[in-house]
Amino acid sequence: MLSATTDRFFGYYLGTVALITAAHDGQRNVMAAGWHTALSADPPLYGVAVGRERATHALIRAGGTFGVNFLPLAHADAVQGTGLHSLHGGVDKHALLNLDTLPGQPLALRGAYLHYTCRRSTVTGDHDLFVGHVEQVHFDPDAYDDAGLLIAPPAIYLGRSTYTTTAPERTEHGR
């Protein structure tokens, strides 16, 4: 029951953290983003909010593309690490956190169960909301069941550097 009030908005909901990848002119970066969402199926659009002070922001603006990667709970340390370290401090987070990319796909992380390659189309907000047209989708077929539902344990962020995952049991309700 909702019986308490607060003026604090953040930290009372959970969600998956996407790892946003960007590269331009020989420089690359990966960052953790809690503010991301699908925006449209036709055309396929995905949005991610990125602070203007983030190194990834400049790379997306310059390169025009970004990757959205979802990693399972087994990679929660890497997900957390991308939020703790900074390219501004000279850290190659890909190397530090063993985040390899797929051959010929510099924005797709090898350990992801789902990846979108997006071409930036617009920005807005105090954290710029990069809206990208999804140009490619890569996925790990072993992470999904025959109905296309995720069975891999996603890394779900609870707050305060704590992650969990979903329970294996499911309940299907009328379609």
Side-chain angles (χ1 to χ4, degrees):
M1 172 186 349
L2 298 174
S3 61
T5 62
T6 181
D7 59 356
R8 182 175 171 223
F9 175 70
F10 300 103
Y12 290 98
Y13 62 92
L14 53 90
T16 55
V17 174
L19 292 189
I20 307 305
T21 50
H24 180 69
D25 200 24
Q27 193 168 42
R28 66 182 183 172
N29 199 36
V30 56
M31 65 166 272
W35 296 352
H36 59 89
T37 188
L39 298 168
S40 172
D42 187 18
L45 299 175
Y46 204 88
V48 61
V50 180
R52 291 182 188 105
E53 72 281 2
R54 304 290 178 220
T56 301
H57 186 282
L59 291 173
I60 294 172
R61 287 191 67 88
T65 59
F66 61 93
V68 182
N69 299 270
F70 298 92
L71 277 70
L73 184 63
H75 294 278
D77 285 343
V79 173
Q80 183 68 18
T82 63
L84 296 177
H85 301 283
S86 175
L87 180 62
H88 288 311
V91 176
D92 179 350
K93 292 186 273 186
H94 285 81
L96 177 69
L97 302 168
N98 297 315
L99 293 169
D100 296 329
T101 59
L102 297 178
Q105 300 292 324
L107 301 178
L109 297 177
R110 185 178 301 279
Y113 58 82
L114 180 63
H115 163 83
Y116 302 134
T117 298
C118 301
R119 176 148 313 275
R120 178 177 60 89
S121 61
T122 188
V123 296
T124 185
D126 69 346
H127 273 63
D128 283 346
L129 177 64
F130 288 104
V131 176
H133 185 272
V134 179
E135 296 186 336
Q136 290 183 340
V137 177
H138 296 273
F139 73 102
D140 177 356
D142 293 333
Y144 294 86
D145 66 15
D146 292 339
L149 297 174
L150 182 67
I151 56 175
I156 299 173
Y157 185 64
L158 295 176
R160 295 190 176 96
S161 303
T162 303
Y163 294 80
T164 190
T165 194
T166 56
E169 55 276 348
R170 296 176 182 213
T171 302
E172 184 175 329
H173 298 275
R175 292 186 206 192

